[in-house]
Amino acid sequence: MGWDLQFTHYLDDMQTYRSRDQTAKALILLGYVERDFIRFYRAGRIAEGIQFAKENLARSRLLLNELPPQQKRAQLHGLVDILAFEGVQNHAFIYEFIQLRDDYHRQIKTLPVTTARYVPWIIEIVQDFGNLAAKDGLPYDDHLESTLDIIYYVSAHLRDKLTVKQVVDHVNQRCNPVGVQRAFSDEMQMSIRDYINVKKIREAQRALLTTTVPVKQIAQELGFYDTSDFSKRFKREIGQTPLEYRQINSQKD
């Protein structure tokens, strides 16, 4: 399994690594430990990742002791940012990752980062973010990314005769199709069909107030079936026909 290759194990085989001074070697080692741990973290193999980090940090304790306090502090801040970023990127509910990130930044800034406390700090940070990542268990691809992709796709194709099937077919090329429409409805509190309609009506409102383009042309440009279809949908959403909306709101100016 090529996935299980850990780069950290092979650092000592690299001449460019062996020739560095102790501080540089410590920083490089930490970088690769973080990089390898992130692969466990992304795959949901949190317990294995924590064990990997513990083993590699333990065998490198003397090397890590060479880092001055300011470097230790900077590395801890960096580790927190990396794990928080991965959590935000790969989970639907991001607030707790942001909150944990900010809490750790405050602690690291105010508490002494001694040599004795440094490795335990790293393990504690890794465990806390790992536990948080395992808790919600909702892959970003299955939830938030599909919703964002729908929003982007609808915005990019607002002037087409857009159907729900077209939108879902597009999203299914890149995301897990299971629950795409349900996830969108949960997040946006409306169906994809209603969202398409709302976006088209909002764009129609803008066009009615900022241009002199005829209603018929606006209906055509926004992919409505015909002027009658546009007017019915617009009145259902806004409470006025497109012409009434233009006349009333233009008079306000």
Side-chain angles (χ1 to χ4, degrees):
M1 292 175 59
W3 186 92
D4 287 324
L5 169 67
Q6 276 85 52
F7 296 102
T8 308
H9 293 163
Y10 299 94
L11 280 177
D12 288 330
D13 295 336
M14 298 169 60
Q15 175 62 35
T16 53
Y17 175 73
R18 295 199 307 271
S19 63
R20 299 297 185 99
D21 62 51
Q22 295 296 88
T23 299
K25 287 173 74 173
L27 291 173
I28 293 169
L29 171 70
L30 283 173
Y32 275 100
V33 170
E34 288 176 4
R35 176 176 173 174
D36 286 335
F37 173 75
I38 288 296
R39 299 167 79 198
F40 287 105
Y41 187 65
R42 286 173 176 167
R45 297 166 61 175
I46 307 300
E48 292 175 68
I50 290 171
Q51 186 60 35
F52 163 82
K54 282 181 177 179
E55 290 173 358
N56 281 278
L57 292 171
R59 71 183 179 86
S60 307
R61 188 179 296 272
L62 292 178
L63 182 60
L64 296 176
N65 286 346
E66 297 295 322
L67 286 177
Q70 65 270 24
Q71 283 283 11
K72 290 186 174 76
R73 194 181 302 277
Q75 286 301 116
L76 290 175
H77 280 301
L79 176 62
V80 167
D81 282 337
I82 289 170
L83 295 178
F85 176 80
E86 286 293 326
V88 167
Q89 286 292 306
N90 293 289
H91 289 78
F93 304 110
I94 66 174
Y95 176 71
E96 289 181 314
F97 288 96
I98 295 171
Q99 190 175 45
L100 185 59
R101 178 199 66 190
D102 292 347
D103 286 347
Y104 264 120
H105 280 322
R106 280 192 291 270
Q107 291 182 58
I108 295 166
K109 190 180 295 183
T110 57
L111 297 177
V113 182
T114 61
T115 297
R117 186 75 182 96
Y118 180 56
V119 172
W121 261 109
I122 293 176
I123 299 303
E124 183 180 326
I125 290 168
V126 164
Q127 285 178 324
D128 280 351
F129 276 100
N131 291 336
L132 197 56
K135 189 171 81 170
D136 78 39
L138 289 175
Y140 184 71
D141 283 355
D142 290 350
H143 190 105
L144 189 58
E145 186 173 15
S146 63
T147 297
L148 292 172
D149 205 9
I150 288 169
I151 291 171
Y152 169 79
Y153 188 80
V154 170
S155 297
H157 295 82
L158 203 56
R159 296 180 180 274
D160 299 340
K161 282 186 168 64
L162 202 54
T163 66
V164 173
K165 184 178 185 304
Q166 286 174 313
V167 175
V168 173
D169 284 348
H170 162 76
V171 175
N172 287 352
Q173 295 173 17
R174 301 169 57 179
C175 302
N176 189 330
V178 177
V180 165
Q181 294 192 61
R182 184 178 65 251
F184 184 89
S185 296
D186 289 345
E187 182 69 30
M188 302 298 290
Q189 297 299 299
M190 68 176 74
S191 68
I192 296 174
R193 185 184 306 280
D194 288 343
Y195 180 75
I196 293 171
N197 190 60
V198 166
K199 290 291 288 183
K200 284 181 179 285
I201 296 301
R202 285 180 184 169
E203 179 59 20
Q205 287 179 277
R206 186 200 65 77
L208 287 165
L209 295 184
T210 61
T211 74
T212 57
V213 174
V215 171
K216 181 178 180 179
Q217 186 177 334
I218 292 174
Q220 290 173 339
E221 289 180 354
L222 287 173
F224 288 95
Y225 183 73
D226 56 23
T227 307
S228 176
D229 173 52
F230 170 49
S231 295
K232 286 177 183 176
R233 293 201 209 180
F234 192 93
K235 186 169 184 177
R236 187 163 57 241
E237 186 71 29
I238 305 301
Q240 301 165 341
T241 68
L243 272 178
E244 288 170 343
Y245 180 82
R246 174 176 267 171
Q247 290 167 352
I248 292 170
N249 288 281
S250 296
Q251 289 171 2
K252 290 181 179 178
D253 296 334

